Amino acid sequence: MIKNAARAAVPTRSDTRSRSRRAARPASWKKRIKTAFAMALLVVETAIALGLVCALAIFWNFSRELPTFESIITDNQEPVSTKIWSDDGVLLGKLDVENRQPILLKDLGKSKVVDATIAIEDHRFYEHPGVDVVGIGRALLANLRGSTLKQGASTLTQQLIRQPGIGAQFGLNAEKRFSRKIREWLLALRV
């Protein structure tokens, strides 16, 4: 009986062969799918990480060139004459010099003119920091669908920054380039 127990503990040649066949058997489909999914997820995460690093580098590059909030406020405090500009940036006329000073919206107080302007031009004015991401997405979708009515996504703050007299002061012009739009967004966020 002791001899039989000792023989059972020692693996035979046939037991070793069956184990090696099982080890050499290809992985199951479930394991292959899980591995492929994990690799795909790793590639996507790497691409997202690289995209975020690139976006941060672009943001850093543009933000170094932009003026500070204080310089925007102090540079625009002098009285200016009223200038009338065309859509393509040509000065059409200049009215008499007025004694005007830019003021903050909170100092203006509630008025029907302010409420009407905000309602027409930028109804989400109080909900965004100067750049309306929801409006950009809406305009992008509408323009991609090819609707006859092209939509813009500029906020009141962006429109202020883009004015010919102010925009030129900060290096903005009427060119239709993505780099100009990024500069405009960054300036609007600072204002």
Side-chain angles (χ1 to χ4, degrees):
M1 201 162 205
I2 295 175
K3 287 181 181 180
N4 289 339
R7 262 192 234 167
V10 176
T12 63
R13 193 175 272 177
S14 64
D15 289 340
T16 309
R17 282 187 205 147
S18 65
R19 278 190 213 151
S20 64
R21 276 190 223 135
R22 274 184 256 151
R25 195 182 309 166
S28 70
W29 284 104
K30 285 183 181 181
K31 285 185 180 180
R32 286 183 183 176
I33 290 172
K34 285 181 183 179
T35 304
F37 182 72
M39 293 300 288
L41 191 60
L42 183 63
V43 168
V44 168
E45 288 174 346
T46 304
I48 290 172
L50 288 174
L52 288 174
V53 167
C54 289
L56 184 62
I58 289 170
F59 175 77
W60 177 260
N61 185 34
F62 282 117
S63 67
R64 287 184 306 147
E65 302 170 0
L66 299 176
T68 63
F69 177 72
E70 290 78 22
S71 68
I72 293 172
I73 296 298
T74 57
D75 289 346
N76 289 318
Q77 289 298 320
E78 62 190 45
V80 293
S81 61
T82 301
K83 297 175 185 174
I84 302 171
W85 298 88
S86 67
D87 283 341
D88 57 356
V90 176
L91 180 63
L92 298 176
K94 196 176 201 184
L95 303 177
D96 291 334
V97 175
E98 297 180 20
N99 208 5
R100 320 184 263 160
Q101 294 285 331
I103 61 171
L104 298 174
L105 184 61
K106 66 179 181 177
D107 297 337
L108 185 62
K110 287 287 186 181
S111 71
K112 292 183 180 181
V113 174
V114 171
D115 290 341
T117 303
I118 290 174
I120 291 170
E121 291 293 327
D122 187 6
H123 67 280
R124 292 177 29 86
F125 181 76
Y126 294 108
E127 299 170 16
H128 59 73
V131 177
D132 188 8
V133 178
V134 174
I136 292 170
R138 174 194 41 77
L140 182 66
L141 282 174
N143 292 338
L144 285 176
R145 286 185 190 146
S147 70
T148 56
L149 179 64
K150 296 289 182 187
Q151 293 195 17
S154 293
T155 63
L156 280 172
T157 311
Q158 287 174 262
Q159 292 175 30
L160 171 71
I161 294 296
R162 195 174 41 232
Q163 292 299 310
I166 297 171
Q169 181 180 1
F170 300 117
L172 295 177
N173 51 28
E175 66 184 351
K176 295 196 180 235
R177 296 180 58 188
F178 191 65
S179 61
R180 183 203 52 89
K181 198 65 174 173
I182 291 174
R183 290 175 61 90
E184 182 183 302
W185 289 338
L186 293 172
L187 278 170
L189 288 172
R190 285 198 179 171
V191 170

